[in-house]
Amino acid sequence: MPDLTSLNPAQRDAVTAPDGPVLVVAGAGSGKTRVLTTRIAHILDSGVYPSEVLAFTFTNRAAKEMKVRVANEVGEGNAPFWIGTFHSTGARILRTHADKLGLSRDFAIYDSDDQKRLLKNVLSDLNIDIKQFGIPGCRTAISAWKNQDIAPETATQRTTTYIEEVYAKIYTAYRKALRQCNAVDFDDLILETVHLLEDHAAVRREYASKFRHVLVDEFQDTNELQLILIKALCSEHGNLFAVGDDDQSIYGWRGARVENMLQFEDYFPGTHLFRLEQNYRSMGNILDAANAVIANNKRRKGKNLWTDAGKGDLLSVEQHLDAEDEAARVVEIVQEEKHKGLDRGAITVLYRTNAQSRLLEDALRRARIAHQVVGSVQFYERREIRDLLAYLKLTANPADEVSMQRVINQPKRKIGATTVGRLLECAHNHEIAVGNLVERPDLLQMDLGNAAGKRVHAFLTQLNSWRRAAYDGMPVPELLQKIIADISYETFLHADEPDTAAGRMENVAELVNGAFAFHEASDGGTLQQFLEQTALVADQDTIQDGEGAVRLMTIHTAKGLEFPVVVLTGCEDELLPHVTAMNEDAEAGAEEERRLFYVAVTRAMKRLYLLSASRRRKFGTYEDTLPSRFLGEIPDELCETRELDSGWQQPVGRTLFGDAPAPRDPRKPAGHRPPLQRRDTYTPPPRSRAKPRPAAAGWDQDVAQSAPFYEGQLVRHGSFGAGLVIRVEGVGDDVTVTVDFPDHGRKHILPRFAPLFPVD
DNA sequence: GATCGATGATTTTTT
DNA sequence: ATCATCGATC
């Protein structure tokens, strides 16, 4: 019997709701996951078998968490095993019924990189100018069609403009090419599952009655296709339990439709509706700020979160000179928080775009603060990892032309573009999967010529030996090691890029480790399963907690998580809200961006910092920015504002041994902040903080030179490492700093010539 | 077929 | 500013 006593009345009502459609509108931090897991326990308690429960989550991480939490409630053996993302569940169903869709069971899953490469091939085959019809545009168009369940033929019929006509042509060819490679893309995982259920009544009945309860988390982020899938799966019993928050819908660009939630009762008549409005996460001031901001959205169901917790600290709203200063301030905040007794793992830095992480990372690294970037340059995106995965993919699926193109000459086998083109043409003409041409050296010789044909055949023979090994049951980690050895990958990396080879080999080792971990966890899983996991498990699914490291991630990645301290950087117009979000429908775009801001704010439990910079580099040159309009929507009395203004300026010509504390400005009305004084009005650049940031590469010479050093300061030298400042002599350019280095003894350093960085 | 250098796009968010 | 892609040259 699940424990209902610790739930509040609204939560309890939702958990014990009768069968039939249920919608739970769950505000941020209102115990949504708890309700979902307890509901599952409640369902199981009523005599439903674990195998009869299907639950969809938004990320694999959420799926894992839910599995663990349900297992805690009902015991290890009783946990449902159909808990997953729409994509992984789709893949699971498709594997069993691949034959009904003209796919073979070992179909590959193409991620966005594979997709881009395939599209590139398609465009060049169709002789379409890549500059006129860019890959991103094609992807958006194709994805939009797929998400509305529009087939290439229908798309072609419906075209009204020339541009649409071309896109439809690309869509048609792309789909054909995917099939030729025996592959599906992310959208197909759902689209083809829908087709399977629509076109095969028996299969639909099988799944619709096999699962007696369907649960969906983050319902506000489902798209049209996912709704169709959900409807099909509930067609027999109608037992749908959906949880979501319309105010946290931030995936509109990916086809997510808040309407699925706003019009839920129309789609599922007889719905029981519940609202969770008590927030257990954030302190009062943070929550009030979030409520005030989101109230400006028109398209919402409307709710007001409240909390029992006290007001807590004020929000710190700070404007800094530029993104570098902002990053320096992040370092400072981390140190201040540490003094307040908080572990670094309690702090998370959020940003709108991945590109912003670079500067923050640099600053944290220089300050030697342990940190972990979640997302951005994902592990699986690294070239060496992708190369090796392509080898494995090709081993599993000899029709995978994208992977073939990727690895056939990597390392160099003297097989160039011309030969590869002929090879693919040969495969198409004879309708043989490209890898299977190993059986037909005659065709290779005929179509590619003698010499090239032999080189290609030699490679295909090697590929075939791996294929055989995998077929004979060689475990994935061993197979991977065999491939790495067979192609002398380490030697290749060293020859190719000596500087980065060591680091890349570490990544390779990490991949091998991952393969071993997979092998153990899956009890000898197949190559197929391994590849599926790497294709569907994103980096953000591997967030580790309590590592004592500051975490950095995009707001999108942070959804569903909570942190004691949140530092939201880049609170600037054009960045948050992002310019491009307002291109299509400015109103809708702004509302989605506001929801994004809302998500960021509601991640914070104890303290929230909202930072902005008054200028930021864009394509190498500085551009002035304005504070985000969302900051102005936060009531003044909730914030403590710090901003730059001319009062901070030092008179021209004075040395900037700035130990003077930065004056705290009296509160100004939010949203009417005076523009910051620009650097070009003053000769020595104004410093925003008492302590200057460490000099970054490319930082103005004069600033680097006048960087003040003081006794007892921790500094870092390019070759001597970290050291302690013993004495500072002279002024300006002539300053001499005496530093004690633990490993190199006492040195006299002229910061003017030898770079010496303060370590904050 | 490979290598070097110039050129141009790139920055929204992710399964 | 940085990276990838393309073209000219060997």
Side-chain angles (χ1 to χ4, degrees), chain A residues 15-34:
Chain A
V15 165
T16 57
D19 280 3
V22 174
L23 175 65
V24 182
V25 181
S30 64
K32 164 183 77 107
T33 313
R34 219 140 149 250

PDB file of all heavy atoms in Angstrom, chain A residues 15-34:
ATOM      1  N   VAL A  15      -3.507  11.233  -6.918  1.00  0.00           N
ATOM      2  CA  VAL A  15      -2.980   9.867  -6.874  1.00  0.00           C
ATOM      3  C   VAL A  15      -4.106   8.837  -6.858  1.00  0.00           C
ATOM      4  O   VAL A  15      -4.037   7.804  -7.508  1.00  0.00           O
ATOM      5  CB  VAL A  15      -2.060   9.691  -5.638  1.00  0.00           C
ATOM      6  CG1 VAL A  15      -1.796   8.217  -5.365  1.00  0.00           C
ATOM      7  CG2 VAL A  15      -0.752  10.432  -5.838  1.00  0.00           C
ATOM      8  N   THR A  16      -5.168   9.151  -6.140  1.00  0.00           N
ATOM      9  CA  THR A  16      -6.242   8.167  -5.982  1.00  0.00           C
ATOM     10  C   THR A  16      -7.407   8.405  -6.935  1.00  0.00           C
ATOM     11  O   THR A  16      -8.486   7.849  -6.755  1.00  0.00           O
ATOM     12  CB  THR A  16      -6.772   8.207  -4.529  1.00  0.00           C
ATOM     13  OG1 THR A  16      -7.201   9.544  -4.240  1.00  0.00           O
ATOM     14  CG2 THR A  16      -5.696   7.801  -3.544  1.00  0.00           C
ATOM     15  N   ALA A  17      -7.193   9.236  -7.951  1.00  0.00           N
ATOM     16  CA  ALA A  17      -8.261   9.516  -8.905  1.00  0.00           C
ATOM     17  C   ALA A  17      -8.746   8.215  -9.540  1.00  0.00           C
ATOM     18  O   ALA A  17      -7.970   7.273  -9.717  1.00  0.00           O
ATOM     19  CB  ALA A  17      -7.763  10.469  -9.983  1.00  0.00           C
ATOM     20  N   PRO A  18     -10.030   8.162  -9.888  1.00  0.00           N
ATOM     21  CA  PRO A  18     -10.557   6.944 -10.515  1.00  0.00           C
ATOM     22  C   PRO A  18      -9.971   6.726 -11.912  1.00  0.00           C
ATOM     23  O   PRO A  18      -9.334   7.634 -12.470  1.00  0.00           O
ATOM     24  CB  PRO A  18     -12.062   7.217 -10.605  1.00  0.00           C
ATOM     25  CG  PRO A  18     -12.198   8.695 -10.528  1.00  0.00           C
ATOM     26  CD  PRO A  18     -11.067   9.182  -9.687  1.00  0.00           C
ATOM     27  N   ASP A  19     -10.181   5.564 -12.478  1.00  0.00           N
ATOM     28  CA  ASP A  19      -9.715   5.273 -13.837  1.00  0.00           C
ATOM     29  C   ASP A  19     -10.279   6.292 -14.817  1.00  0.00           C
ATOM     30  O   ASP A  19     -11.198   7.039 -14.485  1.00  0.00           O
ATOM     31  CB  ASP A  19     -10.176   3.863 -14.242  1.00  0.00           C
ATOM     32  CG  ASP A  19      -9.258   2.807 -13.646  1.00  0.00           C
ATOM     33  OD1 ASP A  19      -8.333   3.183 -12.894  1.00  0.00           O
ATOM     34  OD2 ASP A  19      -9.477   1.612 -13.931  1.00  0.00           O
ATOM     35  N   GLY A  20      -9.761   6.275 -16.024  1.00  0.00           N
ATOM     36  CA  GLY A  20     -10.183   7.240 -17.028  1.00  0.00           C
ATOM     37  C   GLY A  20      -9.142   8.349 -17.128  1.00  0.00           C
ATOM     38  O   GLY A  20      -8.124   8.316 -16.445  1.00  0.00           O
ATOM     39  N   PRO A  21      -9.395   9.328 -18.015  1.00  0.00           N
ATOM     40  CA  PRO A  21      -8.394  10.370 -18.224  1.00  0.00           C
ATOM     41  C   PRO A  21      -8.244  11.293 -17.018  1.00  0.00           C
ATOM     42  O   PRO A  21      -9.241  11.703 -16.423  1.00  0.00           O
ATOM     43  CB  PRO A  21      -8.934  11.142 -19.431  1.00  0.00           C
ATOM     44  CG  PRO A  21     -10.371  10.797 -19.527  1.00  0.00           C
ATOM     45  CD  PRO A  21     -10.541   9.439 -18.927  1.00  0.00           C
ATOM     46  N   VAL A  22      -7.001  11.578 -16.679  1.00  0.00           N
ATOM     47  CA  VAL A  22      -6.694  12.463 -15.563  1.00  0.00           C
ATOM     48  C   VAL A  22      -5.640  13.458 -16.023  1.00  0.00           C
ATOM     49  O   VAL A  22      -4.664  13.073 -16.674  1.00  0.00           O
ATOM     50  CB  VAL A  22      -6.137  11.675 -14.350  1.00  0.00           C
ATOM     51  CG1 VAL A  22      -5.698  12.629 -13.250  1.00  0.00           C
ATOM     52  CG2 VAL A  22      -7.162  10.680 -13.834  1.00  0.00           C
ATOM     53  N   LEU A  23      -5.869  14.726 -15.721  1.00  0.00           N
ATOM     54  CA  LEU A  23      -4.842  15.725 -16.002  1.00  0.00           C
ATOM     55  C   LEU A  23      -4.454  16.400 -14.699  1.00  0.00           C
ATOM     56  O   LEU A  23      -5.316  16.907 -13.976  1.00  0.00           O
ATOM     57  CB  LEU A  23      -5.337  16.778 -16.999  1.00  0.00           C
ATOM     58  CG  LEU A  23      -4.373  17.935 -17.267  1.00  0.00           C
ATOM     59  CD1 LEU A  23      -3.102  17.440 -17.936  1.00  0.00           C
ATOM     60  CD2 LEU A  23      -5.023  19.016 -18.119  1.00  0.00           C
ATOM     61  N   VAL A  24      -3.162  16.382 -14.414  1.00  0.00           N
ATOM     62  CA  VAL A  24      -2.671  17.053 -13.219  1.00  0.00           C
ATOM     63  C   VAL A  24      -1.868  18.266 -13.659  1.00  0.00           C
ATOM     64  O   VAL A  24      -0.830  18.121 -14.312  1.00  0.00           O
ATOM     65  CB  VAL A  24      -1.792  16.112 -12.366  1.00  0.00           C
ATOM     66  CG1 VAL A  24      -1.332  16.828 -11.110  1.00  0.00           C
ATOM     67  CG2 VAL A  24      -2.550  14.843 -12.020  1.00  0.00           C
ATOM     68  N   VAL A  25      -2.384  19.447 -13.354  1.00  0.00           N
ATOM     69  CA  VAL A  25      -1.632  20.664 -13.640  1.00  0.00           C
ATOM     70  C   VAL A  25      -0.740  20.911 -12.439  1.00  0.00           C
ATOM     71  O   VAL A  25      -1.215  21.263 -11.367  1.00  0.00           O
ATOM     72  CB  VAL A  25      -2.574  21.861 -13.869  1.00  0.00           C
ATOM     73  CG1 VAL A  25      -1.770  23.102 -14.190  1.00  0.00           C
ATOM     74  CG2 VAL A  25      -3.544  21.550 -14.991  1.00  0.00           C
ATOM     75  N   ALA A  26       0.542  20.679 -12.633  1.00  0.00           N
ATOM     76  CA  ALA A  26       1.463  20.689 -11.504  1.00  0.00           C
ATOM     77  C   ALA A  26       2.470  21.813 -11.661  1.00  0.00           C
ATOM     78  O   ALA A  26       3.311  21.778 -12.541  1.00  0.00           O
ATOM     79  CB  ALA A  26       2.181  19.348 -11.399  1.00  0.00           C
ATOM     80  N   GLY A  27       2.369  22.811 -10.833  1.00  0.00           N
ATOM     81  CA  GLY A  27       3.305  23.924 -10.864  1.00  0.00           C
ATOM     82  C   GLY A  27       4.715  23.467 -10.526  1.00  0.00           C
ATOM     83  O   GLY A  27       4.924  22.363 -10.013  1.00  0.00           O
ATOM     84  N   ALA A  28       5.657  24.350 -10.805  1.00  0.00           N
ATOM     85  CA  ALA A  28       7.064  24.025 -10.534  1.00  0.00           C
ATOM     86  C   ALA A  28       7.241  23.696  -9.058  1.00  0.00           C
ATOM     87  O   ALA A  28       6.725  24.391  -8.200  1.00  0.00           O
ATOM     88  CB  ALA A  28       7.945  25.201 -10.922  1.00  0.00           C
ATOM     89  N   GLY A  29       7.959  22.616  -8.806  1.00  0.00           N
ATOM     90  CA  GLY A  29       8.302  22.269  -7.430  1.00  0.00           C
ATOM     91  C   GLY A  29       7.128  21.831  -6.568  1.00  0.00           C
ATOM     92  O   GLY A  29       7.198  21.871  -5.350  1.00  0.00           O
ATOM     93  N   SER A  30       6.041  21.380  -7.219  1.00  0.00           N
ATOM     94  CA  SER A  30       4.854  21.035  -6.446  1.00  0.00           C
ATOM     95  C   SER A  30       4.757  19.541  -6.142  1.00  0.00           C
ATOM     96  O   SER A  30       3.724  19.064  -5.708  1.00  0.00           O
ATOM     97  CB  SER A  30       3.599  21.490  -7.189  1.00  0.00           C
ATOM     98  OG  SER A  30       3.482  20.798  -8.404  1.00  0.00           O
ATOM     99  N   GLY A  31       5.838  18.824  -6.382  1.00  0.00           N
ATOM    100  CA  GLY A  31       5.843  17.413  -6.052  1.00  0.00           C
ATOM    101  C   GLY A  31       5.247  16.537  -7.133  1.00  0.00           C
ATOM    102  O   GLY A  31       4.676  15.485  -6.883  1.00  0.00           O
ATOM    103  N   LYS A  32       5.470  16.961  -8.366  1.00  0.00           N
ATOM    104  CA  LYS A  32       4.925  16.286  -9.533  1.00  0.00           C
ATOM    105  C   LYS A  32       5.450  14.854  -9.684  1.00  0.00           C
ATOM    106  O   LYS A  32       4.672  13.916  -9.885  1.00  0.00           O
ATOM    107  CB  LYS A  32       5.313  17.149 -10.728  1.00  0.00           C
ATOM    108  CG  LYS A  32       5.222  16.545 -12.056  1.00  0.00           C
ATOM    109  CD  LYS A  32       5.720  17.559 -13.066  1.00  0.00           C
ATOM    110  CE  LYS A  32       7.233  17.647 -13.064  1.00  0.00           C
ATOM    111  NZ  LYS A  32       7.826  17.022 -14.240  1.00  0.00           N
ATOM    112  N   THR A  33       6.754  14.695  -9.548  1.00  0.00           N
ATOM    113  CA  THR A  33       7.335  13.362  -9.687  1.00  0.00           C
ATOM    114  C   THR A  33       6.808  12.424  -8.606  1.00  0.00           C
ATOM    115  O   THR A  33       6.544  11.249  -8.850  1.00  0.00           O
ATOM    116  CB  THR A  33       8.868  13.439  -9.606  1.00  0.00           C
ATOM    117  OG1 THR A  33       9.299  14.501 -10.449  1.00  0.00           O
ATOM    118  CG2 THR A  33       9.494  12.150 -10.066  1.00  0.00           C
ATOM    119  N   ARG A  34       6.643  12.977  -7.429  1.00  0.00           N
ATOM    120  CA  ARG A  34       6.114  12.217  -6.314  1.00  0.00           C
ATOM    121  C   ARG A  34       4.723  11.689  -6.637  1.00  0.00           C
ATOM    122  O   ARG A  34       4.396  10.529  -6.386  1.00  0.00           O
ATOM    123  CB  ARG A  34       6.014  13.175  -5.130  1.00  0.00           C
ATOM    124  CG  ARG A  34       6.375  12.526  -3.968  1.00  0.00           C
ATOM    125  CD  ARG A  34       7.106  12.903  -2.851  1.00  0.00           C
ATOM    126  NE  ARG A  34       6.518  12.123  -1.758  1.00  0.00           N
ATOM    127  CZ  ARG A  34       5.808  12.688  -0.822  1.00  0.00           C
ATOM    128  NH1 ARG A  34       5.615  13.983  -0.827  1.00  0.00           N
ATOM    129  NH2 ARG A  34       5.313  11.951   0.114  1.00  0.00           N
TER     130      ARG A  34
END
